[in-house]
Amino acid sequence: MSHRTLPPTAHGAGDPASATTMAPPPRTAAPPSPGGGPLPGSELPRGSEPSAGSEPSAGSEPSAGSEPSAGGEPSAGSESPSAGEPLSIWPRSAAPLGHDDLAVGGVPLTEIADRFGTPAYVLDEDEVRHRCRAYLRAFPDADVCYAAKAFLCRAMVHWVHEEGLGLDVCSAGELELAVTTGFPPERIVLHGNAKSPADLRAALRLGVGRIVIDSTSEIARLAAAAPAGSRQRVLIRVVPGIAAGGHAKIRTGTDDQKFGLSIADGSAQHAIARVLSQPRLELVGLHCHLGSQITTVKPYLSAVRRLIGLLARIHEQHGVTLPELDLGGGHGIAYRPGEPALDLPSLSTKIRAELAGGCAAAGLPVPRLAVEPGRAIAGPAGVALYQVLAVKRTGAHTFVAVDGGMSDNPRPALYGVRYAPRLIGRRPSAAPEPVTVVGRHCEAGDVLAAEVPLPGDIRPGDLLAVPVAGAYHLSMASGYNLVGRPPVIAVTEGHARLLVRRESLADIQERDIGL
């Protein structure tokens, strides 16, 4: 029999909520992750990122020529799981238990499902911290800013701050959450291709460290809003004309998309001249972001060369030497065993060498580097839990319907990405066969994992666990069919605690105030 029966109130289950450079605050050591697999930037953690040239991993947004995310290849002498090992993409703490259960952070996943209901997200705190530290080791003389759009909650803000990273936000909402949690605003970078007046007012009011200018209209708007006598530090987001990212919807370094200002058509140069003429704005550097799920270093090196060329022209034309260069993120990770991931140590070594050599040739000082990993930190630390509601065999196809879907993970529908779900909680008696895991929503495209191997005796009441679910799941969740968004549960050292409670029907009804 299945380890558990369908709970009558699964969706309501859950426990009650329990300067010029951006110098990081002192860090306190957190306990090492249980389970010992390597992590980004040092050893390849379980859930490591794919290597160059690989196809986008399941659930990831591919990017041409993308590099693997933090958690690249293992360091010399480290013992890490092989790329094709079943648990290679799971948090380092993942450990098999009896009856085919699995523990993460020392907590059985079936116990989490019973206690908090399904669907639910599980986040391994030690995996997050380990990946933050890997980035700091790889980029010891750079600013590492966590990209909040991947996943943000108060606990995540706290962990990132404790580990010494900065923060990259895209809205007043993300900014306010971070600052009210205690994150220092001077270590925050505000992005966005269409920042609202409210976004800019919040950034100025709270004293955000950097604002990335994405269009010429923002220049006058920001200069007019900045208080008299002040100088807001800004970066110009430059489009270097480089295609990186495995899917057209996540390639942001080319001239045919909405982000940034092009070098090729002179828009970037025009914006630079305008910012330099504004007494309330201080241009401190250039920014670029090539795309997402990049698993090779080459596109980043091409971007460095083009940006050094622009820095040299700025120096020649305006007599200004810009002190900062932000290369964004997009570091790819593996979503299925055997997929490639960005080699973080290689990325760091080659970028720094390219930057030093290029600046020396151009007669420029080396600017302070910044990188903005998001998915590479949060993605492999997360696991999604679902309960099977129905199994339907139609012709040659077997559909396994679960109690979540595109409202809590729209990425397969948006990008055609692929995941590797796993049956947990009981020992199957049938061999694996290809099935398609689908959601509960009224869309034929509500598919979570197409043609994946699961036991042939899978049945209602079974539990499925989906690894690499920490990034772009809850942050992109919707209210489709008025299905509440799942909770987030943190695990560490054998303890589970609720970080974000399940969205209830009462929450949804309270927003609907008129007839």
Side-chain angles (χ1 to χ4, degrees):
M1 293 180 61
S2 171
H3 96 286
R4 63 202 288 265
T5 57
L6 289 170
T9 57
H11 284 275
D15 286 358
S18 25
T20 301
T21 60
M22 300 169 66
R27 289 180 287 126
T28 57
S33 315
L39 204 111
S42 57
E43 298 94 47
L44 185 59
R46 299 189 166 184
S48 65
E49 284 63 307
S51 63
S54 69
E55 290 184 35
S57 60
S60 63
E61 276 85 291
S63 62
S66 62
E67 339 288 321
S69 74
E73 296 183 351
S75 307
S78 68
E79 295 181 6
S80 63
S82 66
E85 182 181 324
L87 290 182
S88 64
I89 59 171
W90 290 74
R92 297 166 66 250
S93 66
L97 302 174
H99 306 291
D100 280 6
D101 199 358
L102 200 63
V104 173
V107 183
L109 293 179
T110 52
E111 178 183 310
I112 292 174
D114 287 335
R115 178 179 168 190
F116 296 96
T118 58
Y121 301 114
V122 180
L123 193 62
D124 187 332
E125 175 182 346
D126 291 327
E127 183 79 14
V128 170
R129 291 182 181 274
H130 188 54
R131 289 178 171 268
C132 288
R133 294 172 190 179
Y135 266 96
L136 294 176
R137 286 193 299 272
F139 292 95
D141 301 317
D143 292 317
V144 179
C145 296
Y146 171 67
K149 60 182 176 289
F151 170 71
L152 193 67
C153 69
R154 292 194 185 278
M156 193 70 167
V157 170
H158 179 68
W159 299 341
V160 166
H161 178 40
E162 270 199 339
E163 294 302 327
L165 275 63
L167 195 64
D168 149 27
V169 302
C170 295
S171 69
E174 291 178 349
L175 175 58
E176 293 270 5
L177 179 70
V179 173
T180 57
T181 304
F183 201 95
E186 65 273 12
R187 291 189 46 73
I188 297 177
V189 179
L190 174 67
H191 286 274
N193 71 296
K195 302 176 194 68
S196 70
D199 293 333
L200 296 178
R201 286 195 300 269
L204 294 169
R205 172 174 54 85
L206 295 172
V208 73
R210 305 288 186 275
I211 296 176
V212 179
I213 290 177
D214 197 278
S215 65
T216 53
S217 60
E218 284 185 1
I219 299 172
R221 190 177 301 134
L222 185 56
S230 68
R231 296 196 76 199
Q232 172 63 51
R233 292 188 176 99
V234 300
L235 303 169
I236 297 288
R237 178 161 177 171
V238 170
V239 178
I242 296 169
H247 193 284
K249 293 181 181 178
I250 53 170
R251 295 174 188 161
T252 57
T254 58
D255 291 307
D256 57 354
Q257 46 72 47
K258 69 177 185 177
F259 293 101
L261 294 149
S262 172
I263 296 176
D265 68 5
S267 299
Q269 296 88 321
H270 173 66
I272 288 163
R274 288 189 59 182
V275 170
L276 290 173
S277 70
Q278 298 291 337
R280 297 185 187 181
L281 302 181
E282 179 184 358
L283 181 61
V284 295
L286 302 179
H287 178 283
C288 79
H289 181 74
L290 300 179
S292 294
Q293 268 306 96
I294 301 173
T295 55
T296 64
V297 175
K298 183 178 178 181
Y300 292 99
L301 302 183
S302 298
V304 168
R305 287 191 287 271
R306 295 187 187 185
L307 293 178
I308 289 174
L310 182 55
L311 289 172
R313 289 196 293 276
I314 294 169
H315 180 72
E316 293 168 4
Q317 295 172 8
H318 304 285
V320 173
T321 301
L322 298 183
E324 298 178 16
L325 182 61
D326 189 331
L327 291 179
H331 307 160
I333 62 175
Y335 284 81
R336 294 185 299 164
E339 289 184 340
L342 184 59
D343 182 343
L344 182 56
S346 175
L347 175 71
S348 171
T349 299
K350 292 179 180 179
I351 281 180
R352 288 186 292 176
E354 188 72 40
L355 192 56
C359 287
L364 295 173
V366 176
R368 184 170 179 86
L369 184 65
V371 292
E372 298 170 349
R375 178 201 317 272
I377 288 175
V383 176
L385 298 179
Y386 298 102
Q387 188 171 59
V388 176
L389 299 180
V391 177
K392 182 184 296 183
R393 290 175 171 82
T394 305
H397 300 284
T398 298
F399 296 98
V400 175
V402 298
D403 56 356
M406 65 192 303
S407 65
D408 59 77
N409 183 8
R411 300 177 63 252
L414 288 172
Y415 309 111
V417 294
R418 303 175 69 189
Y419 288 87
R422 177 187 180 113
L423 174 68
I424 59 170
R426 71 172 178 89
R427 186 163 292 124
S429 58
E433 63 180 46
V435 306
T436 295
V437 180
V438 298
R440 57 173 293 175
H441 298 286
C442 298
E443 298 285 340
D446 183 17
V447 174
L448 289 175
E451 296 299 302
V452 293
L454 285 173
D457 63 346
I458 192 165
R459 54 189 179 243
D462 280 343
L463 286 178
L464 295 182
V466 181
V468 203
Y472 301 107
H473 282 229
L474 185 58
S475 66
M476 297 179 73
S478 73
Y480 188 38
N481 292 155
L482 297 187
V483 173
R485 288 170 289 185
V488 179
I489 297 99
V491 292
T492 181
E493 297 185 307
H495 298 284
R497 70 186 191 279
L498 190 63
L499 299 185
V500 181
R501 67 171 174 81
R502 186 181 304 279
E503 186 177 33
S504 68
L505 181 58
D507 294 325
I508 296 169
Q509 290 177 338
E510 284 173 6
R511 296 183 64 241
D512 192 339
I513 60 173
L515 289 177

